[in-house]
Amino acid sequence: MSQPDMNQLMAQAQQMQQQLQEAQAEIAASTVTGEAGNGLVKMELSGSGDVKSVNISPEVVDPEDVETLQDLVLGAFSDANKKLQDLAQEKMGPLSQGMSGMGF
């Protein structure tokens, strides 16, 4: 069994690191929108996880039922957060699989 070429391994590692940095930058520049209540509450998250905006439809605002509105806001945040995790997995998943194959 021949020894792997260290120069080739280093070049592959550098290329993967570059791709990883590009994927991280793409995620950070992204925005995802979470929804709850069939779109009555929407929340935008930046790729870093910061809340960029919250949109609440007037028809869901009921002073007698604040709990439902709170649940919808939490639901929209959870939905946006899941979409952000899915985006990260989509962008980073293939890279992490490639690194494990190289022994990283």
Side-chain angles (χ1 to χ4, degrees), residues 36 41 60 62 64-75:
V41 175
V60 77
D62 179 358
E64 302 295 319
D65 187 12
V66 175
E67 291 82 15
T68 296
L69 180 56
Q70 291 169 338
D71 289 344
L72 288 171
V73 170
L74 284 174

Side-chain angles (χ1 to χ4, degrees), residues 29-68:
S30 297
T31 300
V32 295
T33 302
E35 296 185 9
N38 291 323
L40 293 174
V41 175
K42 296 180 183 178
M43 183 176 297
E44 283 188 345
L45 291 184
S46 69
S48 62
D50 295 328
V51 176
K52 294 181 75 170
S53 71
V54 176
N55 184 328
I56 299 173
S57 177
E59 65 194 76
V60 77
V61 179
D62 179 358
E64 302 295 319
D65 187 12
V66 175
E67 291 82 15
T68 296

